[in-house]
Amino acid sequence: MSVKELIWLFKGVMGENAYQQYLDHHAATHSNEPPMTERQFWRDKTDRQDANPEGRCC
Amino acid sequence: MSENNPGREQAGARRVERDEDTDVLQHDPNLPPTAVHVDTEDRGWTPLKVAIWVGIALLGGVSWTMLAIVRGETVNAMWFVFAAVCTYLIAYRFYSKFIERKLLQPNDRRATPAEYKADGKDYAATDRRVLYGHHFAAIAGAGPLVGPVLAAQMGYLPGTIWIIIGVILAGAVQDYLVMFFSMRRGGRSLGQMAREELGVIGGTAALIATLTIMIIIVAILALVVVNALGESPWGVFSVSMTIPIALFMGVYLRYIRPGKVTEVSLIGFALLMLAIIAGGWIAETDWGVAIFTLDRVTIAWGIIIYGFIAAVLPVWLLLAPRDYLSTFMKIGTIVMLAVAIVIVRPEIDVPAFSEFASRADGPVVPGTLFPFLFVTIACGALSGFHALISSGTTPKMIEKERQTRFIGYGGMLMESFVAIMALVAALSIDRGIYFAMNSSAAATGGTIEGAVAFVNGLGLTGVNLTPEALSTLATNVGEESIVSRTGGAPTLAVGIAQIMQGLFGGAGMMAFWYHFAIMFEALFILTAVDAGTRVARFMLQDSIGNFVPKFKDTSWRVGAWVCTAIMVAGWGAILIMGVTDPLGGINTLFPLFGIANQLLAAIALAVCMAICAKKGAFKYLWIPALPLAFASVVTITASFLKIFSPVPAVGYWANHFAFRNALAAGEESFGNAPTVAAMEAVVRNTFIQGTLSIVFVVLSIIVIATAIIATVKAYRTGGGPSAEDPAVPSRTYAPAGLIATPAEKELEAQWAALPHDRKPARAGH
C-alpha cells in the first residue's frame, strides 16, 4: 500500500471524501442543475444530521 | 439478452446459479458481469495456501496451549495477541464464509440500497475499506476498554476465552446478520425490523427495551468518566478543554474552511495534546488545584448539564467536530497500542483463574463466573448496541452485498481485538495495585492504609501490597491518589501508561500517558453520551408522536427540548444514584450495563432468527439460534440472580430488604453504610436497580417469546412473507473482501476498461 493510498484511506475514514462523493453522484445523475458548493454541502450535511442522529457505540 | 446467455460466461465471472431472483435480475448486456462466481475463488487450494492456513492453525494452537495449559510463573502478552489473531483469521475465513454461503447467500447481481436509492448523501456507495473504518469507528468506544478490565479479577483465561470465542460465534454473527438484513430492507433500523417481523407486541416491547437500555448504558458510561475525573484536577482540566476545542473546530469547519476534516482534526489533536500537557502544569499550581479539584457529585452534575446542552445544540457546533476528534484519536491510539504491545511484550503474572473465578464476593464486580463474566464483558464479545449501528447508517453505504461479511463480521473482530488489548493492559498491572484501584471506597476507605489492609486481607496468593507502591504510582501518574479509582478507565490508563513508557519517555512520561489514556476514554464516552441522548430523544419523540402527533415533528423546538430533558433526567438520575451509592456505584451498576447490552443482543438475534425462519432457512437456523440461546440463558440467569439471589452482594432485592429491616430495627449503621442517610440511599438505589432488572428481563422475554412464536409459525408453513425490498439489478462492481482475489481483480479490470460514457455512476475516490 502506497503512502498516497494510505492518505486516501485515512481521509475516507475521517469522512473528508463526502463532498467529492456527492459531486460524482451529482454529475452522474442530474448534471443539468448546478451542484451545491462545498460550503453549502457541508452545511446541508450537518443540518441533516440534526434531524437524523447517528448512534455512537459504547 | 440476459446473463443466462452462456456466451457471457467467463472463467472467474460466471453467474450465480442458485439464485432465486435470476429471472428478475436482467443484466445489461453492455456491461461486464456484476458478480464473481462464488466458487471460483475458493477452488484454488494451492499447496502454498494450504501451508499458510496450516501455519496459522498451528500458531493459534500453540498460543492457546501456552495460555490455557502451560502453567509457568508468567505468561507473555504475545500469546494473547497470537491466539486472538489466529482464531479471528480462521473464523473469518471459514465460519463467516460458511454463514455467507449457507445462510445469507448475498448476491452481487442485486443492487444495494446505496445503488438503487443513491442520493450522494445518506445513500452513498462507499469503498469497502473506507466503510470498514467508518463502521469500526461507530461501533468501538469505551465499552471494550472497560469490561475486560473489570473481568480481569477472575484471572486472565475466562475473559480471554469469552472475548475470542464469544466474538466469533455470537458478536460478529449478530453484527453481520443485522447488517445484511437491514441492507436487504433499504437500511431499516432494528426497531422497524422488529415491528415488521415480530408484530405489534414484540415490536413495541423491543422499542421500549431499546429506549431503557440506552438510558442505562449512557448513565453507566458517564459514571465511568465521573470516576476517572473525581478529585483529579489534571483530568478535569484537560477533559473540559475538549469542549472549547470542539467548538473552535466546529466554527472552523462551518465558516473558515468547510470540509477540511483532516486538517481541522490535526489542529484539534495538537490542541488536545497541549491541553493534556497544560493540565500537568495547572495541577501543580495552588490555584489550579483549588479550581479543578471537583468531587464526583459536582462532576456528575456538570456532565448532566453538558449532556442536555450538547443534545440541543446544532450538530455542527459540538457533536460533529467532537466526533471527528474522537475518530482521529480512536484510530491513532488503537494502532499505537497494538504496536506498543507487540514491541514491549509485557510479562503477565496474573493467574489463569483467580480466587474470584469460583466465588461470588469479588470486590471489583460481585458474582460467580457464570453468568457474570458474560455480562461484565459485553462489548468486545457480544454487544447488542452494535445492532443499532449495523442497522441504519452503515447498510446505506455498502457498495456490494458480499462486502457485508468483511464490514459486519470483520469489523466486530477488530473490536474484539481492542478488547483483548485492553485486557492485556489491565493484566500487566501488579495485582495488588489492580485490586486497590478497583475495590470500592466503601471497602478501602479511600485511603492508602485502608487499601493496603483490605487488599492484603483478601488472601490472594503472590499479592503483597505496600503503601509505597501505591503512593509512588500515584506520584508517577500525576494524581493525588489512585485508591478506589473504580470504573476501569483509570486502571486501563495505568496499564497503557506502563506499556507506553516502556516505548517512549520512561517513567517521567507516565503521567502524560496516563492522562492521554483518560482523555481518549473520556472523549469516546462524551461522544457516546451526546449521540446516545440525541438518538434516544428522537426515539421518544417518535413514540410520543403516536399519541400526540405534534411530537413527530422533530424540528419543533418545545418537543425537542422536552424529550431531551426527559432522556437526560433518566440517565442523570441513574448517574447521580451511582455516584452517591454508599456501596460503590460501579460494582453495583456495571452488571446492569452488561445485562442491558446483552439483552439488546438477544433482541437483535431473536429478530434475525425470525427473519431466517421466514426465509425458510431452517437447516441453518442454529447460526443465530445458538448465540441467542446463550445470550438469553446468561442474561436471564443474571437478571434472576440480581432479582432473586439471597446473597446481598449479588441480589438487589436481598440488599434492599436487608437494609430496610435494619432501618426498621432502628440501627444506625449497616454493612458498608455508616449512617442512616446512607442506609436510606441503599434502600432507594437497590429499589431502582431491582426494578430496572425486572423491566429489562420482562421486556426481553416478551421479545424472545414473540420471535420464537414467529419462528415456529414459519416452520409450520415452511417459511413466511419476506419484508425485503424488491430485487433490482446492479450496474456496478467491487470486490468483496479486504484484498481482491485474482478473479475479482480480473473483473475489476474489465469494469475499469469500460469507456467513460458507459461507466455507471459510482462513488469514486
Side-chain angles (χ1 to χ4, degrees), chain B residues 632-661:
Chain B
S632 308
V633 168
V634 161
T635 47
I636 293 172
T637 314
S639 300
F640 274 54
L641 284 173
K642 282 289 172 199
I643 297 167
F644 297 114
S645 170
V647 183
V650 176
Y652 289 132
W653 292 109
N655 227 349
H656 177 78
F657 289 115
F659 276 83
R660 226 165 76 168
N661 293 340

Side-chain angles (χ1 to χ4, degrees), chain B residues 277-506:
Chain B
I277 296 166
W281 300 331
I282 282 174
E284 279 177 16
T285 63
D286 291 336
W287 60 268
V289 173
I291 296 174
F292 293 106
T293 306
L294 302 177
D295 63 85
R296 291 179 171 77
V297 178
T298 313
I299 297 173
W301 277 109
I303 290 183
I304 291 168
I305 294 166
Y306 163 81
F308 179 81
I309 296 175
V312 294
L313 278 182
V315 166
W316 67 265
L317 187 57
L318 192 56
L319 198 145
R322 186 194 272 294
D323 202 26
Y324 288 133
L325 208 52
S326 170
T327 305
F328 191 92
M329 290 279 278
K330 201 171 286 180
I331 295 165
T333 312
I334 286 166
V335 171
M336 184 185 80
L337 189 58
V339 171
I341 285 178
V342 171
I343 295 177
V344 178
R345 294 189 298 275
E347 287 287 335
I348 285 159
D349 58 4
V350 173
F353 291 91
S354 84
E355 292 81 349
F356 296 114
S358 53
R359 285 163 32 187
D361 60 347
V364 183
V365 271
T368 44
L369 194 149
F370 182 86
F372 289 102
L373 168 72
F374 306 99
V375 294
T376 307
I377 301 180
C379 312
L382 170 63
S383 171
F385 222 84
H386 291 192
L388 303 181
I389 316 284
S390 298
S391 62
T393 316
T394 307
K396 293 175 186 160
M397 299 165 80
I398 295 169
E399 205 171 6
K400 297 296 281 180
E401 287 204 340
R402 287 185 64 211
Q403 293 172 350
T404 43
R405 182 170 78 100
F406 169 55
I407 296 164
Y409 197 95
M412 180 61 192
L413 291 181
M414 187 57 92
E415 169 165 301
S416 174
F417 187 60
V418 173
I420 285 287
M421 288 197 297
L423 183 67
V424 167
L427 291 168
S428 67
I429 299 175
D430 175 80
R431 277 183 90 206
I433 291 176
Y434 171 83
F435 281 104
M437 291 185 75
N438 286 293
S439 304
S440 77
T444 63
T447 61
I448 287 187
E449 298 72 38
V452 169
F454 175 75
V455 172
N456 288 341
L458 287 171
L460 307 173
T461 44
V463 169
N464 185 20
L465 186 64
T466 60
E468 293 74 42
L470 286 174
S471 54
T472 312
L473 184 59
T475 314
N476 280 348
V477 299
E479 289 289 294
E480 190 62 35
S481 159
I482 51 161
V483 171
S484 293
R485 287 301 176 94
T486 56
T491 311
L492 180 67
V494 167
I496 290 177
Q498 269 183 2
I499 291 171
M500 292 308 296
Q501 59 101 13
L503 203 57
F504 302 103

Side-chain angles (χ1 to χ4, degrees), chain A residues 11-27:
Chain A
K11 285 191 168 177
V13 174
M14 291 300 296
E16 185 158 337
N17 300 351
Y19 182 57
Q20 191 54 48
Q21 209 162 333
Y22 160 78
L23 283 184
D24 292 348
H25 171 79
H26 188 88

Side-chain angles (χ1 to χ4, degrees), chain A residues 8 10-14 16 21 24-25 28 36 38-39 42-44 46-51 53 55-58, chain B residues 118-119 121-122 124-126 130 134 138-139 141 143 254-255 259 261-262 265 315 323-324 386 389 538 761 764-765:
Chain A
W8 161 80
F10 186 79
K11 285 191 168 177
V13 174
M14 291 300 296
E16 185 158 337
Q21 209 162 333
D24 292 348
H25 171 79
M36 287 187 270
E38 191 165 13
R39 192 171 285 259
W42 289 102
R43 277 190 180 220
D44 174 68
T46 45
D47 293 349
R48 271 183 300 111
Q49 278 174 9
D50 269 326
R56 273 287 179 269
C57 207
C58 30
Chain B
D119 63 2
K121 296 168 186 171
D122 295 325
T126 305
V130 170
H134 269 294
I139 61 172
R254 182 106 169 165
Y255 298 107
V261 172
T262 310
S265 302
V315 166
D323 202 26
Y324 288 133
H386 291 192
I389 316 284
F538 275 77
H765 37 266

